[in-house]
């Protein structure tokens, strides 16, 4: 893997025959064009901020909502998982819809639908309707993410696109980290329902400015929506796995329903791979995974997101349930980490562009693992926020800031320019699946434990997530496997397109053949 980022030379110098040139804005260096590009980036990044905020903003109100509806933690976990599962499953079809029907149109429809079902969540009279509305909220959130990036990228010349991607990714990371704090403020001073209702005026304002600011664009060669069966399988595989993990501790791991869910999850995964390889328009084109960096970064994203989202929920509930903090105090207690994320996210993206993604991502993984280890070793049932909680929280915030925004750029850095939006949608899908798994793992480990057993269970949670995060950094250094007789590229140099099966030329040719 090359050490200079944002992309290996082959990703920009080689393009399949008949491929269109990368879209560049006219007069991109003129002040007016740069000002317009900055405004589009701000609007697109705000859209991403809002939809990723809703992946974690519910966390701090988890106990409050549970008491309001008199339901169990396992049942209520689907308020989080329904959003993430549908979000993940719909991202790639949403990207294709944006290509075919217009990026501006899909972006604005996504915001409108997101606002509508946010309002339904805010007035839901029971947990069943809340879960259903969250699922539909996730579907419209998926329209926002790939279309926002596709609207932003043409506004920037190729030399500055990595900055735009870094900013866009940093906003998503900051939103996920700030979610619990903002959710607590709304819950404490208004109601947990305002966690959802606040989206309505924000989305309305974005639609107002988007109608005037954004330029419509579409992909002329877009061949329609991807395989609907593949889209269902994207959601079904993690859904069955999550169901089994969540219900296993209470029903028993030998319960036929739990075993069936595990079996279905395992059985449907190869079906999904087969479908992706044979469908005319696959929901996840496997040719992208021939790009080694894309594959490794997505594996790292899945592992890190599992720990990240699971830890956000576990720490919020620990402060409320074990240290008996109020909702607001729990959020304030967790605030230092998000502040570190906000301060480091964009500089981390710039650093990665200079020295390479791998060292920055490894440093982030190590920082997170150290912070989680400090929690597991020093935090117990006696509240010692300043001496025990704060140091670990700051280190974890550094790990998040070095990792989440950099992963967003690293996943697509080695893809051709025309595939940046599609690659970003795939990478975001992996992150959302990680969210589902992280919440499920947390619920399974904690179970119904109380008192001293609950403290011990939280220690197990922190050790588990520390190991997963460390693995997310190490997986980036998996040695390259070469075919017999294939010459290795000199140290520090990328393989040539002729002998690199994952080069952008090959990826473009395979995708165009679809």
């Amino acid at each position: 893997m090359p050490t200079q980022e944002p992309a290996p030379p082959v990703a920009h110098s080689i393009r399949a025959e008949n491929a269109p040139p990368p879209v560049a804005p006219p007069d991109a260096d003129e002040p007016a064009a740069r000002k317009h590009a900055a405004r589009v980036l701000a609007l697109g990044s705000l859209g991403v901020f809002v939809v990723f905020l809703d992946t974690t903003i519910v966390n701090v109100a988890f106990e409050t909502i549970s008491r309001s509806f008199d339901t169990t933690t396992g049942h209520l976990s689907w308020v989080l998982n329904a959003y993430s599962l549908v979000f993940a499953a719909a991202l790639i079809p949403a990207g294709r819809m944006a290509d075919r029907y217009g990026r501006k149109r899909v972006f604005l429809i996504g915001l409108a639908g997101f606002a509508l079902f946010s309002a339904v969540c805010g007035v839901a009279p029971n947990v069943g309707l809340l879960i259903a509305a969250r699922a539909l909220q996730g579907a419209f959130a998926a329209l926002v993410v790939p279309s926002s990036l596709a609207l932003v990228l043409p506004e920037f010349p190729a030399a500055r696109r990595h900055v735009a991607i870094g900013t866009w990714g940093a906003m998503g990371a900051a939103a996920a980290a700030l979610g619990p704090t903002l959710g607590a403020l709304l819950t404490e001073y208004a109601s947990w329902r305002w966690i959802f209702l606040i989206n309505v005026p924000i989305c309305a304002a974005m639609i107002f400015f988007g109608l005037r600011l954004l330029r419509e664009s579409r992909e002329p060669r877009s061949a329609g929506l991807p395989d609907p069966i593949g889209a269902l399988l994207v959601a079904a595989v993690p859904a069955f796995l999550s169901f089994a993990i969540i219900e296993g501790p209470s029903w028993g791991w030998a319960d036929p329903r739990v075993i069936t869910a595990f079996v279905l999850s395992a059985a449907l995964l190869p079906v999904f791979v087969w479908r992706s390889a044979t469908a005319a328009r696959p929901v996840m084109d496997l040719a992208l995974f021939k790009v080694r960096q894309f594959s490794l970064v997505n594996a790292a994203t899945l592992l890190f997101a599992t720990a990240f989202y699971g830890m956000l929920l576990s720490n919020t509930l620990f402060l409320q349930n074990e240290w008996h903090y109020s909702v607001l105090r729990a959020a304030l207690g967790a605030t230092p980490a998000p502040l570190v994320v906000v301060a480091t996210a964009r500089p981390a993206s710039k650093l990665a562009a200079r020295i390479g993604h791998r060292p920055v991502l490894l440093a982030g993984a190590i920082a997170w693992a150290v912070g989680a280890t400090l929690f597991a070793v020093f935090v117990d049932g006696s509240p010692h926020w300043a001496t025990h909680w704060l140091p670990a929280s700051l280190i974890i915030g550094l790990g998040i800031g070095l990792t989440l925004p950099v992963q967003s750029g690293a996943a697509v850095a080695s893809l051709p320019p025309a595939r940046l939006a599609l690659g970003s949608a795939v990478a975001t899908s992996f992150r959302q699946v990680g969210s589902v798994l992280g919440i499920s793992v947390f619920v399974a480990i904690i179970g119904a434990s109380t008192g001293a057993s609950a403290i011990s269970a939280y220690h197990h949670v922190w050790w588990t997530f520390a190991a997963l995060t460390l693995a997310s950094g190490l997986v980036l250094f998996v040695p390259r496997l070469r075919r017999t007789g294939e010459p290795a590229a000199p140290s520090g140099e990328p393989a040539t397109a002729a002998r690199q099966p994952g080069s952008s030329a090959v990826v473009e040719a395979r995708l165009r053949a679809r």
Side-chain angles (χ1 to χ4, degrees):
M1 184 180 294
T3 58
Q4 294 299 317
E5 307 289 341
V10 296
H12 296 289
S13 62
I14 299 175
R15 203 169 1 262
E17 188 178 359
N18 300 324
V23 179
D27 302 320
D29 291 327
E30 291 186 0
R34 292 174 68 92
K35 187 175 181 180
H36 179 81
R39 289 174 175 172
V40 173
L41 176 59
L43 185 63
S45 297
L46 181 58
V48 170
F49 183 91
V50 169
V51 300
F52 276 109
L53 187 71
D54 267 55
T55 62
T56 60
I57 197 171
V58 181
N59 289 6
V60 76
F62 207 74
E63 285 298 303
T64 305
I65 299 173
S66 180
R67 289 192 299 269
S68 177
F69 290 133
D70 191 23
T71 187
T72 64
T73 299
H75 191 194
L76 197 62
S77 67
W78 290 102
V79 172
L80 305 177
N81 283 349
Y83 182 87
S84 295
L85 280 169
V86 177
F87 193 0
L91 272 165
I92 300 171
R96 299 286 179 85
M97 287 178 65
D99 288 342
R100 186 176 191 185
Y101 299 111
R103 283 78 182 248
K104 176 180 177 179
R105 177 183 298 174
V106 169
F107 179 73
L108 297 178
I109 290 173
L111 289 174
F114 185 80
L116 172 63
F117 287 103
S118 293
V120 176
C121 288
V123 300
N126 56 66
V127 71
L129 181 58
L130 178 59
I131 292 172
R134 282 283 284 175
L136 292 168
Q137 192 190 28
F140 282 96
L143 296 179
V144 173
V145 174
S147 58
S148 67
L149 185 61
L151 286 166
V152 166
L153 290 177
E155 301 291 341
F156 289 83
R160 294 176 55 221
R161 281 186 186 142
H162 71 281
V163 177
I165 294 174
T167 302
W168 182 86
M171 288 294 283
L178 285 169
T181 302
L182 297 178
L185 293 172
L186 291 169
T187 302
E188 184 75 12
Y189 293 111
S191 163
W192 66 262
R193 296 182 181 276
W194 276 99
I195 287 175
F196 304 109
L197 295 175
I198 193 66
N199 292 329
V200 177
I202 295 174
C203 289
M206 284 194 288
I207 292 170
F208 175 82
F209 288 107
L211 286 169
R212 290 154 177 76
L213 179 67
L214 300 175
R215 292 190 273 247
E216 185 60 280
S217 65
R218 52 177 54 86
E219 173 56 55
R221 296 189 309 271
S222 179
L225 297 181
D227 177 33
I229 296 177
L232 290 174
L233 290 170
V234 167
V237 172
F240 281 121
L241 180 59
S242 177
F243 176 83
I245 293 173
I246 288 173
E247 302 298 347
S250 58
W251 290 354
W253 297 108
D255 187 285
R257 294 167 293 181
V258 174
I259 293 175
T260 300
F262 274 126
V263 170
L264 285 173
S265 178
L268 290 177
L269 181 59
V271 174
F272 169 70
V273 174
W274 169 80
R275 189 77 187 182
S276 297
T278 58
R281 291 187 292 272
V283 71
M284 187 175 293
D285 200 302
L286 301 182
L288 289 173
F289 292 90
K290 293 294 184 180
V291 179
R292 183 171 180 270
Q293 179 170 317
F294 184 78
S295 299
L296 293 181
V297 173
N298 276 303
T301 297
L302 180 66
L303 292 169
F304 189 87
T306 300
F308 170 70
Y309 286 101
M311 181 79 96
L312 279 180
L313 179 59
S314 68
N315 285 10
T316 300
L317 294 183
F318 179 90
L319 290 174
Q320 292 182 62
N321 295 341
E322 309 309 322
W323 282 6
H324 306 293
Y325 280 14
S326 66
V327 170
L328 180 60
R329 191 180 180 191
L332 294 176
T335 296
L339 293 178
V340 175
V341 175
V342 172
T344 59
R346 193 146 188 253
S349 296
K350 292 183 177 180
L351 179 63
R354 286 199 300 269
I355 69 173
H357 293 115
R358 285 197 300 176
V360 177
L361 290 174
L362 180 61
I366 291 173
W368 173 283
V370 168
T373 299
L374 292 177
F375 276 127
V377 172
F378 294 108
V379 173
D380 54 25
S382 301
H384 296 289
W385 183 84
T387 56
H388 293 173
W389 189 274
L390 180 60
S393 185
L394 293 174
I395 295 172
I396 281 182
L398 176 63
I400 299 170
L402 290 173
T403 304
L404 281 186
V406 177
Q407 283 176 341
S408 299
V412 300
S414 53
L415 298 182
R419 300 301 163 192
L420 290 175
L422 176 61
S424 177
V426 174
T428 306
S429 294
F430 272 81
R431 181 181 295 181
Q432 293 310 116
V433 170
S435 167
V436 173
L437 295 179
I439 292 165
S440 303
V441 168
F442 164 71
V443 172
I445 294 176
I446 293 298
S449 55
T450 58
S453 64
I455 300 297
S456 178
Y458 275 101
H459 288 166
H460 292 152
V461 167
W462 291 325
W463 282 120
T464 300
F465 290 153
L468 285 173
T469 307
L470 190 58
S472 76
L474 296 177
V475 75
L476 298 169
F477 294 84
V478 171
R480 183 187 300 276
L481 299 178
R482 294 187 292 109
R483 296 175 182 174
T484 304
E486 180 184 350
S491 176
E493 296 181 11
T496 65
R499 60 180 190 241
Q500 185 180 358
S503 70
S504 62
V506 175
V507 174
E508 279 288 349
R510 292 191 180 190
L511 290 172
R512 199 179 317 286
R514 300 287 183 186

